[in-house]
Amino acid sequence: MQDLAVEPRQGQDWTAVPQLIRSGGMLGEPWESLFGALRATPARGPMVVGQIGQSLDGRIATLSGHSCYINGPEGIAHLHRLRAVVDAVVVGAGTVRADDPQLTVRCVSGPNPVRVVIDPRGTLSRSARAFACDGIRRIVVSAKRGCRHLADDIETIALPDTGGRIAPRAILEALFDRGLRRILIEGGAHTLSSFLSAGCLDRLHVVVAPMILGSGKPGLDLPPIADMGGALRVPMRTHSLGREILFDCDLSCRTAGLRPAHDAGRRPTVPEA
Ligand SMILES: NC(=O)c1ccc[n+]([C@@H]2O[C@H](COP(=O)([O-])OP(=O)(O)OC[C@H]3O[C@@H](n4cnc5c(N)ncnc54)[C@H](OP(=O)(O)O)[C@@H]3O)[C@@H](O)[C@H]2O)c1
């Protein structure tokens, strides 16, 4: 397991990494091991990474929704580095209601990503911090019938829904069409689970903090499986982020439908949410 503190004393300086990833350059360690897989941009769809910060017992918030902060400085710095290497960060409306996140890069150096909020019913207020007018592009993904004009400077993508649910793949295709090649699905649980369930994540970064909540909101909530044969088993590497552990899961075989035909037959079957 690699040991990575907040600011590694050895290895390549972080500052150049976001640009190197965009230009397809090789990274030095420890960054190549952590972020090198995100360099690829498939021709037919975006590179998509999900992240989740959770307790040892798999919780991302208390039952009341309190979640600040499960992860410590190392885990938060890793999340901000992920934001810096992607083109867009996506959250569900529930996270905006619960946390009112800024979704900016503040703990490390690097560019801010485009902010995308999935708000199918058009319930969120213009005053949410994700919509702050700070020069960064902002996009609301809405269901066609829930679509409303939020502000002139906020783009809207209106997509068809089935019972209020917009297909995650349709969301990714719409973002790809708008030039967004690397996408971070930051949460919350419902949003991340629906993208995982739909086979739309290339990688999943799970950062586990040394705490036990004992109750609370689960990080992933997928349809039940009948037996262990239905478990999603993934190639995985671990990294030490100070007191926290990053599990970097390779889900690329699940995104075969977004890939060129040569590896399209490798997709395992997991029921969709
Ligand atoms: N630890 C972490 O890494 C982390 C990260 C982010 C958030 N969180 C926590 O996660 C919790 C919020 O998670 P959550 O599961 O309640 O909410 P969420 O995933 O943030 O948002 C879910 C909502 O987003 C909309 N949505 C998302 N995907 C959609 C789709 N494909 N089609 C249609 N609508 C879609 C729906 O909005 P409507 O409800 O309007 O229908 C849905 O109910 C908070 O407690 C927050 O603190 C933790």
Side-chain angles (χ1 to χ4, degrees):
M1 187 191 305
Q2 291 206 350
D3 192 355
L4 178 68
V6 179
E7 290 299 338
R9 294 178 202 284
Q10 295 181 336
Q12 185 190 33
D13 178 47
W14 161 259
T15 318
V17 171
Q19 184 51 39
L20 274 172
I21 290 223
R22 287 173 172 81
S23 62
M26 283 298 289
L27 311 177
E29 292 297 345
W31 314 119
E32 181 64 30
S33 298
L34 281 164
F35 300 110
L38 306 182
R39 187 172 34 233
T41 47
R44 291 173 54 198
M47 161 63 66
V48 186
V49 55
Q51 86 78 39
I52 194 159
Q54 65 175 44
S55 61
L56 284 168
D57 51 341
R59 313 286 182 179
I60 60 163
T62 65
L63 283 176
S64 63
H66 191 229
S67 66
C68 296
Y69 293 96
I70 285 181
N71 291 111
E74 294 89 352
I76 292 172
H78 179 73
L79 171 60
H80 284 224
R81 287 192 176 105
L82 274 176
R83 289 178 183 167
V85 299
V86 296
D87 298 329
V89 55
V90 177
V91 294
T95 292
V96 174
R97 286 186 208 112
D99 298 346
D100 196 13
Q102 299 179 67
L103 305 177
T104 56
V105 177
R106 304 182 300 284
C107 298
V108 300
S109 61
N112 286 309
V114 174
R115 301 191 288 269
V116 180
V117 178
I118 309 173
D119 182 20
R121 300 175 288 130
T123 59
L124 296 177
S125 158
R126 169 74 177 83
S127 62
R129 295 199 292 182
F131 301 139
C133 186
D134 56 1
I136 304 300
R137 194 173 165 194
R138 292 139 291 150
I139 299 175
V140 175
V141 176
S142 167
K144 274 190 174 153
R145 59 187 157 182
C147 188
R148 75 189 160 102
H149 180 74
L150 206 56
D152 284 343
D153 60 338
I154 299 175
E155 297 169 50
T156 303
I157 300 175
L159 294 172
D161 70 290
T162 306
R165 180 183 180 277
I166 305 165
R169 187 157 302 191
I171 295 172
L172 293 178
E173 285 170 357
L175 296 177
F176 189 72
D177 286 348
R178 286 159 178 79
L180 303 170
R181 297 289 181 264
R182 261 176 225 91
I183 295 176
L184 168 63
I185 309 297
E186 186 169 317
H190 171 98
T191 302
L192 191 60
S193 301
S194 68
F195 277 78
L196 174 59
S197 220
C200 286
L201 298 183
D202 294 286
R203 301 199 83 89
L204 177 62
H205 283 200
V206 181
V207 180
V208 178
M211 70 168 69
I212 296 171
L213 293 188
S215 60
K217 296 189 176 183
L220 292 174
D221 190 10
L222 301 177
I225 54 174
D227 54 46
M228 292 301 291
L232 178 58
R233 297 173 196 272
V234 293
M236 185 267 303
R237 294 178 66 170
T238 58
H239 304 266
S240 171
L241 302 177
R243 283 162 38 83
E244 306 182 359
I245 305 292
L246 164 65
F247 294 81
D248 174 15
C249 307
D250 180 358
L251 302 171
S252 54
C253 67
R254 301 208 64 232
T255 55
L258 290 173
R259 294 282 180 274
H262 68 267
D263 59 359
R266 293 163 47 210
R267 186 179 181 190
T269 52
V270 170
E272 295 225 352

